[in-house]
């Protein structure tokens, strides 16, 4: 018996915990799962072989490290969503013969498939239920996913016969670009698709599926190519998980700031200025209230405030490096002989201010804040309400300091962020530290010191953080801050970045204790990031029901009838005098209708005034938080508003 023959008879693979497992030669992932235990054999969806995900049916190579994938693995959802995309294509081909299929990948929360339907067929959201029903029949049938590998020529002939031109194009590209010699086909039921895989054992593993929406998409994202119909769906391992997902979507819809913005008189978006919000009176008040909280931090932490121009000579942007690195995102304008740029960032203006004076080391750290409006050219397709815009205000600041002062400064910025976020109801703040990217300026030593300073600042506060190696800006390492909102969604807000580059570019210096000129380190920091984006996050976090201190209108006075308007006006004036933000509903509507509308307006307090209240010089108070509070004097109500504020 030669060694070769022995090797073909038995193979040994290694389990995740390092245990060796001996199997007959040619054994598959399914065999391995069965050898480990019947429970795992049933639960197995796919197998990881030396780190690569494969079908259970594929034979295992000798010596491989293996791990069986079950529905407990985070990637398992992606796998069954890919399965579900194939089942959707199967159902679509059955219901709409002559449809051309293209591609159907899993995506973050589900999957999609792009189809070219025959010209006489129109598929819209009203058809999704029908497609879903057909999918369920195939899922119940637990059709196995069967793979075969064929030559590109054979696959091309097969798809050409079926009139599947897109598949033919895909295979031709694979041959041309990657020089593939075989392609894999996956069959489920009567449907066979070009696909790299892997797939689960059968369609039966998709426990819950839902088709969600229909959209248009160009073939390969190319506007000159065919417009296709994209159907989005999602799949889960249980009906319960699917329901929880649908519930989250409903909640997110109800909180959508793009809907609440106009409804609550906060802001509006207009076709005349895409990506540039119009702030309405309530929204402008909200921005002022947010700004006031930032101002408190500025005063507390020794920041000075400046305002610099929005439009500056294009030469400045050459000097700052923005022309070279950021030109595509900038707006330009001309007047007379000169060319100008509308600022996308506030830093160059701040550097001109710093550089206009001689500075002594005794002034450092010099902390200079600016609520600076910036404009960035973004493609219209990526704009999204207040979250992705073309014009916004940064709560920006630049700190000029010595290298030795960096750690303490950064720790102070972290503390400001903690206090500020807690004030707005965000307790769960995630921190990421990003280090030197491949393309960067400055010496390795400088980077090491800067990264060490940031780490030291984070560690001195016992703060957990995630490290993103190579994700820093080209001019220095940075720390990003993320808040988690009421729906568990994470939003990046604040940032703190070290910069060796700009002080060089602007030849900034200070006079040290040694009477020599020294180069300061520059820290760019924004606590909230974009004020408007933060407002959008707050609107969704609170679903428009702001806490009393943050509500643009804290109370609304509701006269029972027209003859109470005068008393209502007097009450409102007294409240305003005491600093309460108040409105009156003077319409000639029933008080019931006024209360219902006030509910929709999400005011923290409703103050009903009729004969009884007028005679007793009180208001009948209804608090959103606490329910009916009964009759109160204006003075007591003012006290309640201010108690609620703290
Ligand atoms: Zn596929
Ligand atoms: Zn800056």
């Amino acid at each position: 018996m030669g060694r070769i023959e022995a090797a073909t008879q038995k193979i040994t693979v290694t389990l995740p915990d390092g245990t060796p497992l001996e199997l007959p030669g040619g054994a598959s992932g399914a065999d391995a799962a069965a050898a480990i235990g019947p429970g795992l054999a049933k639960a197995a969806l796919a197998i990881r072989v030396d780190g690569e995900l494969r079908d259970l049916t594929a034979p295992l190579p000798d010596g491989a490290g293996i791990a069986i994938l079950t529905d407990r693995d985070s990637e398992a959802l992606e796998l069954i969503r890919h399965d579900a995309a194939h089942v959707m294509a199967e159902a679509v081909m059955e219901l709409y013969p002559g449809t051309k299929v293209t591609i159907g990948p899993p995506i973050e929360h589900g999957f999609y498939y792009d189809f070219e339907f025959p010209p006489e067929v129109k598929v819209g959201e009203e058809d999704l239920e029908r497609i879903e029903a057909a999918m369920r029949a195939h899922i119940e049938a637990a059709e196995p996913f069967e793979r075969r590998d064929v030559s590109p020529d054979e696959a091309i002939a097969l798809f050409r016969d079926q009139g599947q031109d897109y598949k033919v194009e895909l295979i031709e590209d694979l041959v041309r670009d990657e020089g593939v010699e075989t392609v894999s086909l996956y069959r489920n039921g009567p449907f066979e698709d070009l696909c790299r895989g892997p797939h689960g054992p059968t369609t039966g593993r998709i426990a819950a599926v839902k088709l969600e929406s229909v959209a248009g998409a160009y073939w390969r994202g190319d506007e000159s190519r065919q417009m296709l119909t994209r159907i989005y769906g999602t799949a889960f391992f249980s009906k319960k998980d699917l329901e929880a997902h649908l519930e989250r979507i409903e909640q997110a819809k109800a909180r959508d700031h793009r809907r609440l913005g106009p409804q609550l008189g906060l802001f509006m978006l207009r076709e005349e200025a895409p990506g540039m919000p119009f702030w309405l009176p309530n929204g402008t008040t909200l921005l002022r209230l947010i700004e006031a909280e930032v101002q408190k931090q500025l005063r507390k932490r020794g920041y000075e405030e400046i305002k610099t121009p929005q439009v500056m000579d294009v030469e400045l942007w050459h000097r700052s490096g923005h022309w070279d690195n950021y030109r595509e995102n900038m707006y330009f304008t001309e007047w007379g002989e000169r060319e100008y740029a509308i600022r996308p960032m506030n830093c160059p203006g701040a550097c001109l201010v710093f550089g206009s004076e001689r500075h002594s080391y005794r002034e450092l750290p010099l902390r200079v804040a600016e609520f600076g409006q910036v404009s960035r050219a973004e493609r219209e397709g990526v704009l999204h309400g207040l979250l992705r815009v073309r014009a916004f205000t940064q709560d920006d600041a630049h700190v000029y300091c010595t290298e030795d002062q960096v750690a303490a400064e950064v720790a102070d910025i972290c503390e400001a962020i903690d206090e500020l976020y807690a004030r707005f109801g965000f307790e769960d703040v995630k921190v990421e530290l990003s280090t030197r990217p491949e393309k960067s300026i400055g010496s390795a030593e400088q980077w090491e010191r800067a990264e060490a300073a940031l780490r030291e600042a984070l560690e001195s506060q016992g703060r957990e953080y995630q490290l993103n190696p190579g994700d820093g800006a080209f001019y220095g390492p940075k720390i990003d801050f993320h808040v988690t909102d009421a729906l568990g969604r994470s939003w990046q807000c604040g940032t703190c970045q070290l910069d060796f580059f700009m002080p060089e570019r602007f030849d900034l210096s200070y006079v040290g204790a040694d009477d020599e000129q020294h180069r300061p380190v520059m820290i760019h920091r924004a606590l909230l990031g974009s004020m408007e984006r933060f407002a959008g996050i707050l609107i969704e976090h609170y679903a428009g029901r702001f806490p009393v201190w943050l509500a643009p209108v804290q109370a609304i006075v509701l006269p029972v009838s027209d003859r109470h308007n005068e008393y209502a006006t007097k009450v409102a004036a007294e409240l305003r005098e005491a600093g309460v933000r108040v409105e009156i509903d003077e319409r000639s509507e029933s008080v019931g209708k006024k209360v219902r509308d006030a509910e929709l307006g999400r005011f923290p307090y409703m103050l009903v005034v009729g004969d009884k209240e007028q005679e007793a010089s009180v208001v009948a108070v209804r608090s959103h938080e606490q329910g009916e509070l009964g009759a109160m004097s204006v003075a007591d109500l003012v006290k309640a508003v201010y108690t609620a504020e703290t």
Side-chain angles (χ1 to χ4, degrees):
M1 294 280 277
R3 280 168 50 212
I4 293 165
E5 199 176 327
T8 58
Q9 282 177 348
K10 287 235 185 281
I11 60 165
T12 305
V13 293
T14 314
L15 303 181
D17 64 359
T19 317
L21 176 69
E22 200 166 86
L23 294 165
S28 68
D31 297 329
I36 300 167
L40 192 61
K42 220 172 135 226
L45 282 161
I47 184 167
R48 194 169 283 294
V49 180
D50 291 331
E52 203 181 305
L53 209 55
R54 303 229 187 126
D55 298 331
L56 284 174
T57 49
L60 298 175
D62 190 18
I66 65 160
I68 306 288
L69 189 87
T70 71
D71 61 12
R72 289 201 208 143
D73 292 275
S74 56
E75 293 141 297
L77 263 183
E78 199 176 302
L79 186 90
I80 62 154
R81 286 171 179 168
H82 185 191
D83 291 354
H86 280 238
V87 176
M88 175 161 77
E90 178 185 16
V92 161
M93 292 305 294
E94 185 177 281
L95 295 171
Y96 308 100
T99 298
K100 292 180 184 176
V101 294
T102 66
I103 54 162
I107 51 174
E108 195 187 350
H109 295 290
F111 60 88
Y112 70 79
Y113 210 116
D114 286 348
F115 303 103
E116 184 190 338
F117 288 103
E120 69 281 6
V121 174
K122 277 265 163 301
V123 171
E125 293 188 353
E126 62 283 1
D127 303 299
L128 294 184
E129 229 166 277
R130 192 166 158 240
I131 301 170
E132 219 178 271
M135 287 176 73
R136 283 208 191 87
H138 290 290
I139 289 169
E140 268 160 42
E143 295 159 346
F145 281 99
E146 289 165 337
R147 174 181 172 131
R148 61 182 175 126
D149 293 82
V150 299
S151 71
D153 284 345
E154 191 183 342
I156 287 171
L158 181 89
F159 285 117
R160 191 164 276 148
D161 269 359
Q162 298 169 2
Q164 294 293 355
D165 315 336
Y166 297 101
K167 294 290 170 186
V168 171
E169 184 182 327
L170 286 170
I171 300 164
E172 284 171 348
D173 286 359
L174 281 174
V175 172
R176 197 193 51 230
D177 300 339
E178 296 177 33
V180 297
E181 285 165 8
T182 60
V183 295
S184 52
L185 306 178
Y186 277 83
R187 170 178 294 281
N188 50 303
F191 177 69
E192 192 169 44
D193 203 351
L194 172 74
C195 180
R196 282 177 209 271
H199 280 283
T202 78
T203 58
R205 300 301 291 275
I206 309 162
V209 67
K210 174 89 190 155
L211 299 187
E212 295 177 299
S213 60
V214 178
Y218 290 105
W219 169 234
R220 303 194 138 170
D222 180 348
E223 286 172 36
S224 68
R225 304 293 304 269
Q226 177 71 38
M227 171 63 97
L228 305 167
T229 304
R230 174 170 298 179
I231 304 181
Y232 286 100
T234 192
F236 286 90
F237 284 110
S238 75
K239 293 216 163 53
K240 209 173 119 222
D241 289 351
L242 172 64
E243 271 156 28
H245 166 81
L246 296 176
E247 169 70 24
R248 270 196 304 278
I249 289 179
E250 277 312 304
Q251 282 185 9
K253 258 191 210 158
R255 288 166 183 263
D256 192 329
H257 73 284
R258 291 169 300 178
R259 198 172 59 82
L260 289 174
Q263 185 191 316
L264 301 178
L266 296 166
F267 69 91
M268 64 175 193
L269 292 162
R270 295 275 309 192
E271 206 22 67
E272 287 83 347
M276 301 190 181
F278 290 67
W279 288 87
L280 304 175
N282 288 345
T284 308
T285 303
L286 178 66
L287 286 179
R288 292 267 178 275
L289 291 164
I290 296 170
E291 188 182 311
E293 294 302 314
V294 178
Q295 295 276 12
K296 282 185 203 163
Q297 292 294 335
L298 297 183
R299 285 195 294 276
K300 180 175 169 182
R301 297 172 193 280
Y303 281 75
E304 299 173 301
E305 204 181 325
I306 57 169
K307 282 236 172 267
T308 64
Q310 285 203 45
V311 179
M312 290 185 275
D313 196 295
V314 86
E315 186 277 328
L316 177 73
W317 304 98
H318 283 285
R319 213 191 316 164
S320 69
H322 285 86
W323 175 270
D324 291 333
N325 294 298
Y326 206 69
R327 193 169 58 234
E328 277 71 44
N329 290 89
M330 291 169 67
Y331 294 102
F332 297 94
T333 181
E334 268 170 50
W335 199 80
E337 298 287 288
R338 291 179 79 171
E339 200 186 340
Y340 300 89
I342 301 168
R343 68 174 171 196
M345 294 180 200
N346 307 305
C347 339
C351 287
L352 290 184
V353 172
F354 183 90
S356 66
E357 267 189 86
R358 255 173 83 88
H359 294 283
S360 147
Y361 68 98
R362 289 193 189 86
E363 292 170 61
L364 306 186
L366 190 69
R367 309 177 183 96
V368 189
E370 176 169 12
F371 289 90
Q373 171 134 28
V374 294
S375 301
R376 295 178 184 176
E378 299 265 15
R379 281 184 305 108
E380 199 155 342
V382 303
L383 299 175
H384 182 94
L386 297 177
L387 301 179
R388 189 83 181 257
V389 292
R390 286 176 175 164
F392 59 97
T393 314
Q394 284 179 313
D395 65 327
D396 212 349
H398 296 95
V399 178
Y400 302 91
C401 61
T402 66
E403 241 180 63
D404 293 346
Q405 293 169 333
V406 166
E409 262 329 279
V410 171
D412 187 63
I413 290 166
C414 291
E415 206 180 281
I417 283 182
D418 278 346
E419 288 179 17
L420 197 56
Y421 290 7
R423 176 68 166 142
F424 289 108
F426 299 113
E427 299 291 345
D428 183 10
V429 179
K430 293 202 171 65
V431 181
E432 289 179 8
L433 171 62
S434 301
T435 57
R436 185 177 194 175
E438 243 169 73
K439 226 184 103 188
S440 62
I441 58 135
S443 68
E445 204 203 346
Q446 229 171 353
W447 274 87
E448 250 163 55
R449 284 201 307 270
E451 289 171 11
L454 292 187
R455 266 199 310 275
E456 187 192 323
L458 293 174
E459 277 156 18
S460 72
Q461 300 175 321
R463 198 182 279 267
E464 279 181 27
Y465 61 89
Q466 191 195 314
L467 191 66
N468 292 340
D471 228 16
F474 73 92
Y475 49 77
K478 61 170 186 167
I479 302 174
D480 291 319
F481 300 85
H482 301 249
V483 299
T484 307
D485 76 5
L487 293 188
R489 297 171 301 182
S490 178
W491 306 95
Q492 191 190 325
C493 294
T495 186
C496 176
Q497 315 190 348
L498 291 196
D499 189 345
F500 315 121
F501 180 67
M502 222 171 269
E504 294 280 342
R505 282 265 174 149
F506 284 86
D507 195 23
L508 303 183
S509 64
Y510 65 91
V511 179
D514 56 2
D515 245 3
E516 300 283 322
Q517 300 277 338
H518 295 273
R519 189 79 71 213
V521 179
M522 186 172 177
I523 304 173
H524 309 251
R525 78 99 183 96
L527 303 178
L528 302 179
S530 148
M531 303 286 290
E532 292 84 350
R533 181 170 185 273
F534 193 75
I537 295 167
L538 281 177
I539 295 168
E540 301 213 351
H541 179 59
Y542 287 117
R545 286 211 181 276
F546 299 106
V548 177
W549 73 270
L550 189 57
V553 181
Q554 296 170 306
I556 183 159
V557 189
L558 310 175
V560 171
S561 71
D562 290 348
R563 69 174 187 282
H564 305 114
N565 283 357
E566 201 186 319
Y567 176 64
T569 307
K570 185 172 155 274
V571 166
E574 283 174 34
L575 286 169
R576 252 180 228 126
E577 184 70 21
V580 176
R581 298 183 292 276
V582 62
E583 268 177 19
I584 314 177
D585 185 349
E586 285 183 317
R587 295 174 304 163
S588 298
E589 297 283 357
S590 73
V591 74
K593 164 102 174 110
K594 288 182 184 178
V595 167
R596 283 193 300 279
D597 288 349
E599 267 300 332
L600 290 178
R602 308 188 182 197
F603 306 98
Y605 292 104
M606 287 183 227
L607 315 174
V608 178
V609 293
D611 290 334
K612 237 177 27 194
E613 287 78 20
Q614 190 168 337
E615 269 158 40
S617 290
V618 293
V619 292
V621 182
R622 189 158 158 176
S623 145
H624 175 71
E625 292 273 291
Q626 300 152 281
E628 301 285 352
L629 297 181
M632 282 169 87
S633 69
V634 169
D636 284 344
L637 177 67
V638 170
K639 232 181 275 168
V641 169
Y642 282 100
T643 321
E645 290 223 9
T646 51

